[in-house]
């Protein structure tokens, strides 16, 4: 059974930093993409950052230069370092693990962690 557990969400002031963690268990795909999404109240879920097993990363324009995704395979943990936080970054942040095997994609989700940025 695949499980993802996020942590690290908190209340911070504008300009502050946070590091989110996503610990993954039971996920055995060698070809994968780890994603961080966020969803603010009344908004659609937004893809914030992705990190692939080959090392490629992608970011939403709204977070480029401020957020960084990293994957520590030894710890089965994906991180999202968030710097220069803004009030508009306030959302529930979700981690997902997308595994690809035989051309089929399987995606698993965590429960989310709340990030609140005060002005």
């Amino acid at each position: 059974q695949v499980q993802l557990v996020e942590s690290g969400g908190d209340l911070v002031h504008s300009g502050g930093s946070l590091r989110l963690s996503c610990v993954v268990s039971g996920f055995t795909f060698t070809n994968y993409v780890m994603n961080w999404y966020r969803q603010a109240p009344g908004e659609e879920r937004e893809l914030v950052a992705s990190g692939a097993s080959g090392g490629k990363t992608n970011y939403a324009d709204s977070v480029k230069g401020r957020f960084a995704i990293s994957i520590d395979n030894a710890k089965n943990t994906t991180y999202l370092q968030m710097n220069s936080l803004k009030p508009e970054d306030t959302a529930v942040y979700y981690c997902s693990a997308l595994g690809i095997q035989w051309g089929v994609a399987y995606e698993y989700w965590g429960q989310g962690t709340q990030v609140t940025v005060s002005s």
Side-chain angles (χ1 to χ4, degrees), residues 59-94:
Y59 299 93
D61 288 342
S62 57
V63 306
K64 277 181 183 175
R66 299 190 298 123
F67 289 12
I69 187 171
S70 59
I71 301 170
D72 186 335
N73 289 309
K75 295 183 178 179
N76 295 323
T77 302
T78 298
Y79 301 99
L80 185 67
Q81 178 67 42
M82 305 187 295
N83 300 323
S84 302
L85 282 162
K86 305 175 182 180
E88 51 263 43
D89 294 319
T90 295
V92 178
Y93 283 70
Y94 298 91

Side-chain angles (χ1 to χ4, degrees), residues 9-80:
D10 206 344
L11 169 63
V12 295
H13 291 297
S14 181
S17 297
L18 281 175
R19 189 177 77 159
L20 305 183
S21 299
C22 173
V23 178
V24 185
S25 59
F27 188 79
T28 59
F29 295 89
T30 55
N31 186 12
Y32 62 83
V33 179
M34 297 300 300
N35 301 302
W36 284 98
Y37 288 81
R38 67 185 180 188
Q39 188 168 22
E43 301 287 335
E44 300 267 327
R45 190 170 292 192
E46 173 191 21
L47 179 60
V48 173
S50 296
S53 49
K56 186 175 180 180
T57 58
N58 282 294
Y59 299 93
D61 288 342
S62 57
V63 306
K64 277 181 183 175
R66 299 190 298 123
F67 289 12
I69 187 171
S70 59
I71 301 170
D72 186 335
N73 289 309
K75 295 183 178 179
N76 295 323
T77 302
T78 298
Y79 301 99
L80 185 67

